[in-house]
Amino acid sequence: VDFSVCLLSDSRRPPVAMAKPTALVAKKRSVKRTKHFPRWQAHQFKRVKDTWRCPRGIDGRFRRRFKGTGPHVNIGYGTDAKVKHVLPNGFKKFIVSNVKDLELLLMHNRK
């Protein structure tokens, strides 16, 4: 029994060995695109920031998706929900702010 990770709830009890959490996700994360999508004509004007905005012009060729206008944001670039927000070690981030959160984390130690 590995006593390196112990939980001492009472000084009279011997230390209880806790089961080490194991990652549940076995699926490999596929990264479809790491570059951000620049805003249309952001490189031409200083007043137009680089952050993405949806084009709204009535005659705009970028909104109408003509050839040669660059990549558009769409749902196909999204990450799979099973591997979204998963760290490289297979776990999700969880912020513990009180004892109740710690008990919740111990109860769901496979995520």
Side-chain angles (χ1 to χ4, degrees):
V1 179
D2 184 20
F3 288 106
S4 61
V5 181
C6 299
L7 177 67
L8 288 172
S9 60
D10 194 0
S11 61
R12 291 172 283 155
R13 290 185 180 172
V16 178
M18 291 175 46
K20 290 191 178 185
T22 56
L24 193 61
V25 177
K27 191 172 182 181
K28 180 84 174 153
R29 182 174 184 166
S30 67
V31 179
K32 297 174 187 172
R33 183 183 167 94
T34 56
K35 288 169 60 175
H36 78 288
F37 291 92
R39 188 175 177 180
W40 178 244
Q41 292 183 333
H43 64 283
Q44 291 179 357
F45 304 104
K46 225 175 191 177
R47 63 182 179 265
V48 179
K49 302 292 183 226
D50 201 33
T51 54
W52 174 256
R53 293 288 185 272
C54 190
R56 290 187 181 87
I58 56 170
D59 295 327
R61 55 197 186 105
F62 189 73
R63 184 189 58 79
R64 295 193 288 167
R65 297 175 186 265
F66 281 17
K67 266 197 292 189
T69 56
H72 296 252
V73 174
N74 57 35
I75 198 68
Y77 290 107
T79 307
D80 189 9
K82 290 179 183 174
V83 294
K84 199 169 189 174
H85 304 297
V86 175
L87 298 173
N89 62 2
F91 294 103
K92 292 185 178 182
K93 277 188 184 178
F94 187 79
I95 298 172
V96 177
S97 57
N98 54 29
V99 178
K100 194 173 182 181
D101 288 347
L102 185 63
E103 290 171 0
L104 183 77
L105 181 65
L106 291 173
M107 193 168 61
H108 298 287
N109 68 353
R110 303 230 352 124
K111 297 176 184 168

